[in-house]
Amino acid sequence: MEEELLLEGNVIQIRPQGYSMYPLFVPGRDEALIAPVEREALKRGDVVLYRREKSILVLHRIWKRRGDQLYLVGDNQRAVEGPLKPEQVKGILIGVIRNGVKFSVRHPVYVILSGIWLRLRPFRPVISHAAAAGKRLLRKIKFGP
């Protein structure tokens, strides 16, 4: 259904599932605004909605582009997926809704932070584990053992 709406030129709103795009998307909290896409304009760092071969729709970030071939990675992953065929790409992320507040992917803070996070791809597991350990420690300090 989402694909048809995008093909008709509509912007869609979806709730991403799973943690492959964490910290950008937290399941149950955040929503994604997806617009129809001009495949020729796609570039490194864009977050796109695509269909895996005979499978599910996935929302991941473009790691690199070589001609028509796209290579993608989730924000919480190191493994790069691809190459994808251009027709697998169905839409592009234009905004995020977090706790009812909408922000654009063109906002300077988003652009800077997503660029940094993309470059940190090799170190993501270490960063994620450190952040989780820090949260656990803060909870212990705040609430006790």
Side-chain angles (χ1 to χ4, degrees):
M1 170 132 179
E2 292 92 356
E3 292 174 67
E4 292 83 18
L5 290 169
L6 287 166
L7 282 171
E8 293 170 0
N10 297 297
V11 172
I12 63 170
Q13 189 171 321
I14 61 171
R15 285 187 173 269
Q17 303 298 308
Y19 285 89
S20 69
M21 285 301 289
Y22 181 85
L24 179 59
F25 291 106
V26 174
R29 181 189 74 184
D30 303 325
E31 296 177 88
L33 296 172
I34 309 292
V37 64
E38 292 182 28
R39 292 181 185 100
E40 307 78 37
L42 292 174
K43 63 189 178 312
R44 177 180 164 91
D46 287 342
V47 176
V48 296
L49 183 69
Y50 65 97
R51 183 166 295 281
R52 287 188 173 144
E53 287 287 330
K54 301 176 185 170
S55 187
I56 61 171
L57 286 169
V58 178
L59 192 65
H60 279 172
R61 192 176 301 278
I62 296 174
W63 171 248
K64 68 179 172 181
R65 180 179 184 155
R66 288 206 176 130
D68 281 348
Q69 296 181 327
L70 297 173
Y71 296 82
L72 296 113
V73 64
D75 281 357
N76 195 29
Q77 299 176 323
R78 282 192 322 174
V80 176
E81 182 177 355
L84 267 70
K85 299 173 189 167
E87 60 270 12
Q88 286 178 264
V89 178
K90 307 302 178 184
I92 186 167
L93 180 71
I94 59 167
V96 176
I97 301 172
R98 175 163 298 145
N99 298 321
V101 178
K102 177 181 166 185
F103 63 88
S104 169
V105 298
R106 293 185 178 172
H107 190 282
V109 173
Y110 172 87
V111 172
I112 291 167
L113 291 177
S114 64
I116 291 169
W117 193 245
L118 189 61
R119 286 171 184 80
L120 290 174
R121 182 184 64 87
F123 309 102
R124 288 179 187 169
V126 173
I127 295 167
S128 293
H129 286 96
K135 284 181 182 179
R136 285 191 301 273
L137 181 61
L138 286 174
R139 271 190 237 121
K140 272 188 178 180
I141 292 169
K142 186 175 182 179
F143 299 112

